Amino acid sequence: MGRATSSSSSSIDSSNHFTFSSTGASSSSSRRDLTTDLRLGLSISTSPPYAREQPPEWPPIKPLQRQALEEEENECNSATFFVKVYMEGLPIGRKLDVLAHESYYDLIRTLEHMFNTNIIWAEAEVDGDHYEKYHVLTYEDKEGDWMMVGDVPWEMFLSAVRRLKISKC
């Protein structure tokens, strides 16, 4: 077979390349030839690689999201219980954290704002002449039965609810 020969046209002469150096009065003593680094595809940074140490963060997320996640981890009351809430006439349900509410009144108020409607429940006072303006809030319990919200104490409701449904009167 043939022997590889070296010619001046195929080799790279380092004397023709620019030499990077740091600026300042003592730059002649701290010169570093980066041509080899550049040919190898390395960085042109003059700082040593160990000076760029950063804590490994995986997955890479934005600083605001990272801060929010850290705050959530530090919260002492991090219990959540999400249930789906469906409204008659709307094709898509919404998730709601029922443990974020302190009572039926708080839950109803949140749902009224979320769906922009008036909701009646067991303890609500209703104008008897205008039932068409109102919706009824019911929930599905563990056994699959649909019950009206407000019929049982709040703590029992929290342990039994699986799904919420807002229906027209």
Side-chain angles (χ1 to χ4, degrees):
M1 298 227 195
R3 186 186 294 190
T5 60
S6 64
S7 68
S8 62
S9 63
S10 66
S11 66
I12 297 177
D13 184 14
S14 63
S15 64
N16 293 336
H17 295 285
F18 179 74
T19 303
F20 293 96
S21 65
S22 61
T23 60
S26 65
S27 66
S28 61
S29 64
S30 63
R31 288 186 174 228
R32 179 177 169 199
D33 184 11
L34 297 178
T35 58
T36 305
D37 293 344
L38 291 175
R39 278 187 273 142
L40 294 174
L42 302 175
S43 172
I44 63 170
S45 174
T46 58
S47 63
Y50 55 84
R52 288 185 265 158
E53 290 181 17
Q54 293 178 352
E57 297 169 353
W58 191 257
I61 56 174
K62 296 179 181 177
L64 290 176
Q65 290 174 331
R66 183 179 303 114
Q67 182 181 3
L69 288 174
E70 289 171 358
E71 288 175 2
E72 286 179 8
E73 290 173 357
N74 294 335
E75 287 181 1
C76 59
N77 186 11
S78 61
T80 60
F81 181 54
F82 287 93
V83 296
K84 283 292 248 183
V85 181
Y86 297 96
M87 183 171 177
E88 192 176 295
L90 295 178
I92 298 175
R94 298 182 187 178
K95 283 173 58 171
L96 178 76
D97 183 11
V98 292
L99 293 181
H101 300 86
E102 297 178 3
S103 64
Y104 283 122
Y105 179 75
D106 192 25
L107 175 67
I108 298 296
R109 190 179 57 201
T110 300
L111 290 172
E112 286 179 339
H113 284 58
M114 187 183 288
F115 290 99
N116 196 22
T117 186
N118 296 320
I119 297 175
I120 59 171
W121 53 294
E123 297 179 14
E125 296 180 15
V126 181
D127 181 14
D129 297 334
H130 298 77
Y131 276 115
E132 63 273 357
K133 299 189 310 186
Y134 294 99
H135 289 83
V136 178
L137 181 61
T138 56
Y139 72 96
E140 183 182 16
D141 64 2
K142 292 178 187 176
E143 290 85 32
D145 299 327
W146 286 95
M147 312 280 290
M148 187 165 180
V149 168
D151 285 345
V152 297
W154 176 250
E155 291 77 20
M156 189 181 294
F157 167 78
L158 290 177
S159 65
V161 66
R162 294 294 168 249
R163 223 181 333 183
L164 293 168
K165 184 169 72 173
I166 302 171
S167 305
K168 291 182 180 179
C169 286

